[in-house]
Amino acid sequence: MDGDPPCVSRERGKATGPARLRFDGWIAGTGTSSGTRIVLGHWERSPFGPFSDVMLDRADGERLLLAPTPQTADFIALTYTFDAVRIVPVRVSVEAGTWTVTAGALDMRFTMGRRGPLGLLLRAVPGALARRPAWSALLDFPARLLLSGVRTRGGAGGGRREWYGARDLRPIDAVSAVFEGADLGVMAPVEPPVRFGIGSVPRRPSVTRITTTVAWGRGGGDGPLGPLGPGA
């Protein structure tokens, strides 16, 4: 592939340096009274262009990914852990603090509340700093203390590593969701934590403005968009 794809930085100069893929957007997480927990990724900028995906940790224990294309599905399924993957259209609209999500058999709507002290603090962090993996690593321990189950760095599937740099946090005040024709009930805490990757979303339903950085492989090789190793 000629040139770097958008939002991808390369570690050059060392044969073992990993390529880093960057995703800028939002992660929304909520529980429901039915026991199903839902995580939405809404990515404004990514190596794949803008897209959204949904992860369901269902009451029966099934971990399900809903992704819009084979390419995004393959990348996410290799990075996280699922029992099933469905490639379906995923559409997200946001208007006046209300999010409407349609993803295959899932119809979901939720409303954000006013940000609290932690959200105000995160918004004060300069964007360039929040995107740095070193900053995410520094915040990993405080995040574990303040937000049970949350991690800001760690290992992922396929030998990858991830860093999460939060830039805003707002609570979710109300949720309605239907999956495969069944009402999932009212909003509930994300309990137990979701089991897709290195950590969970916050226990309290919320929307986080975030930059996710994924270190892809070592020593070159084909990445999700073609050769992404050093010198490609």
Side-chain angles (χ1 to χ4, degrees):
M1 180 170 292
D2 294 333
D4 289 351
C7 308
V8 176
S9 64
R10 301 171 190 269
E11 298 284 339
R12 296 190 182 275
K14 292 184 179 181
T16 58
R20 287 181 175 176
L21 283 67
R22 182 173 293 156
F23 298 75
D24 286 319
W26 294 261
I27 293 177
T30 185
T32 64
S33 56
S34 69
T36 293
R37 286 90 72 210
I38 305 170
V39 178
L40 166 71
H42 182 54
W43 305 109
E44 186 177 54
R45 297 177 67 242
S46 87
F48 305 99
F51 77 97
S52 301
D53 65 273
V54 179
M55 305 177 188
L56 301 177
D57 200 339
R58 305 182 67 185
D60 62 6
E62 181 187 47
R63 293 164 294 185
L64 174 63
L65 170 65
L66 307 175
T69 65
Q71 194 178 33
T72 55
D74 287 347
F75 179 83
I76 297 168
L78 187 57
T79 307
Y80 302 97
T81 302
F82 301 95
D83 303 300
V85 176
R86 299 182 191 178
I87 299 171
V88 297
V90 182
R91 300 183 179 90
V92 177
S93 64
V94 184
E95 185 174 352
T98 296
W99 295 56
T100 302
V101 181
T102 302
L106 175 71
D107 290 297
M108 178 181 176
R109 187 180 178 92
F110 62 88
T111 302
M112 295 188 299
R114 297 179 62 180
R115 64 180 56 84
L118 183 55
L120 293 171
L121 181 63
L122 290 173
R123 276 175 58 86
V125 177
L129 178 61
R131 294 185 184 98
R132 289 173 132 351
W135 176 254
S136 300
L138 181 66
L139 294 183
D140 187 57
F141 182 68
R144 294 193 210 190
L145 291 179
L146 294 172
L147 301 167
S148 177
V150 171
R151 298 283 307 277
T152 63
R153 66 169 179 171
R160 305 170 185 182
R161 289 194 62 80
E162 286 190 296
W163 297 266
Y164 296 94
R167 299 169 58 193
D168 196 0
L169 178 69
R170 291 181 63 176
I172 294 175
D173 283 349
V175 175
S176 62
V178 174
F179 183 65
E180 296 181 334
D183 189 339
L184 297 181
V186 299
M187 184 180 75
V190 183
E191 188 65 40
V194 295
R195 303 163 298 129
F196 306 117
I198 62 173
S200 181
V201 293
R203 182 179 182 274
R204 181 182 180 183
S206 59
V207 181
T208 305
R209 177 78 170 90
I210 202 160
T211 296
T212 300
T213 303
V214 181
W216 172 275
R218 293 183 180 276
D222 283 352
L225 303 175
L228 290 180

